[in-house]
Amino acid sequence: MSDRIPVILNPAARSTQAAAREMAIRALSPEPELIMTTAPGEATAIAEKLAREGRGLVVAAGGDGTMNEVLQGICRVNAGRPPGEKHTALGVLPVGTMNVFSLELGLPSSDMAACWQRISGRRYREIDLWLANEQYFVQLAGVGFDAEIIQETPWERKKKLGPLSYVVSALQVLTRQPPVLTVKIAGRPDMHGSVVLIGSGKHYGGPVKVFPKADNQNGLLDVLIFRNLSGWEFAQMVRALLERGYDTALDLDYLQVREFTVVADPAAPYELDGELIQETTPVVFKAAPFRLQVAV
């Protein structure tokens, strides 16, 4: 087995710079074992294979979408390991459009060499790992508008406009009538809203700490429920959140819970770590039966 740390690279991430990114990763010291993906979802299969081979660390090079693909692969293997057996850890080398998880971990995202020195040092932190139905996530999730925005953002637009592509999609989605979402928590009355945002960490979609109370080691998910708003009201509220943070006077609820279910009428899409899931509500959010080791 190679002693080099495997790095799974999505060459489509910032595709106009793909060759330069590949060369930069190959030039890192200590030299990584670079594995290129060729199709969507392939990172999951590669990560699963590496984890089954007993690799102690698998690194995702790309945006949050690549990270989540690699996460699925290593967690499928970790889930089958007996108690006490060493798990495969996750590393993140941020080179994609959005890298919220690396920001949460405090990695130097703008300096690839410095980031690699942190990762290759093999120092790990154990953090909470979550399930949405049968899919794993570590940083964020959303039901309703934000998932629709991702659904409406084609890769070609992301390649051309970068993060601005989501703003263009948002302008399209915000004109529509939102679904009615119902959040069900054991022992509490049902709660209703038009958008549900979920955070394991403080950051959501960028440097602003949308979930100020969040801690990815406390066993709780932070949940924002926007109460039955129109699209433009939601946009104005998000702007307020970005400018001044959470405000109890806003028309929303902020909860910290271990498990809950979201249903919708009509059925609504949801996203995990910024990636659209190919199914709709209902969705059960709960803790995975084990935690995740991440390179920091």
Side-chain angles (χ1 to χ4, degrees):
M1 183 187 301
S2 173
D3 291 332
R4 292 185 296 163
I5 299 172
V7 174
I8 301 173
L9 172 65
N10 171 14
R14 290 188 178 175
S15 59
T16 57
Q17 305 175 23
R21 292 289 173 182
E22 179 184 349
M23 290 178 61
I25 293 173
R26 292 190 186 280
L28 293 171
S29 180
E31 182 185 359
E33 178 187 348
L34 185 60
I35 305 167
M36 311 280 282
T37 64
T38 59
E42 188 179 13
T44 296
I46 294 171
E48 184 172 354
K49 179 177 181 294
L50 291 167
R52 292 197 187 283
E53 291 174 355
R55 300 297 188 95
L57 172 64
V58 177
V59 178
D64 291 317
T66 303
M67 179 278 293
N68 189 268
E69 284 191 23
V70 172
L71 176 74
Q72 304 308 316
I74 65 174
C75 287
R76 288 175 187 175
V77 178
N78 288 342
R81 286 178 167 149
E85 185 174 312
K86 185 178 179 180
H87 281 202
T88 298
L90 172 70
V92 181
L93 192 62
V95 298
T97 303
M98 298 291 285
N99 302 284
V100 180
F101 186 50
S102 66
L103 182 68
E104 190 73 36
L105 295 178
L107 295 172
S109 300
S110 60
D111 187 334
M112 185 186 297
C115 190
W116 181 247
Q117 287 303 307
R118 294 268 293 270
I119 293 170
S120 60
R122 297 178 187 262
R123 292 182 295 273
Y124 302 127
R125 180 190 304 161
E126 188 175 75
I127 65 170
D128 297 332
L129 178 65
W130 301 94
L131 282 167
N133 290 346
E134 301 302 318
Q135 295 287 315
Y136 297 96
F137 71 102
V138 289
Q139 179 66 26
L140 57 89
V143 185
F145 270 133
D146 73 324
E148 289 185 51
I149 290 168
I150 294 169
Q151 190 175 49
E152 296 290 332
T153 308
W155 167 245
E156 292 77 12
R157 185 183 296 165
K158 287 194 287 184
K159 182 173 65 175
K160 182 179 179 180
L161 301 177
L164 183 61
S165 60
Y166 295 106
V167 177
V168 174
S169 298
L171 293 175
Q172 298 171 341
V173 172
L174 291 174
T175 61
R176 303 173 188 166
Q177 179 67 30
V180 177
L181 306 180
T182 301
V183 178
K184 296 179 175 292
I185 304 170
R188 300 190 188 189
D190 288 351
M191 307 179 75
H192 304 283
S194 55
V195 186
V196 177
L197 302 183
I198 302 116
S200 181
K202 291 180 171 60
H203 298 90
Y204 194 104
V208 179
K209 295 178 180 179
V210 173
F211 302 101
K213 302 175 185 177
D215 179 345
N216 60 18
Q217 295 178 304
N218 68 356
L220 296 172
L221 283 172
D222 285 42
V223 184
L224 279 171
I225 304 170
F226 295 80
R227 303 186 199 118
N228 298 315
L229 303 175
S230 71
W232 291 111
E233 288 171 329
F234 171 69
Q236 291 166 0
M237 188 174 292
V238 168
R239 179 181 177 182
L241 280 172
L242 295 177
E243 289 177 347
R244 65 176 183 267
Y246 171 67
D247 186 338
T248 54
L250 293 174
D251 191 15
L252 54 79
D253 296 295
Y254 187 168
L255 313 170
Q256 289 186 305
V257 294
R258 297 183 186 277
E259 182 174 336
F260 63 99
T261 300
V262 180
V263 299
D265 184 20
Y270 63 95
E271 55 89 3
L272 305 175
D273 293 328
E275 287 298 295
L276 186 71
I277 302 304
Q278 298 304 312
E279 59 180 67
T280 57
T281 52
V283 53
V284 178
F285 294 95
K286 64 181 180 181
F290 56 94
R291 301 180 84 204
L292 179 72
Q293 297 284 332
V294 292
V296 295

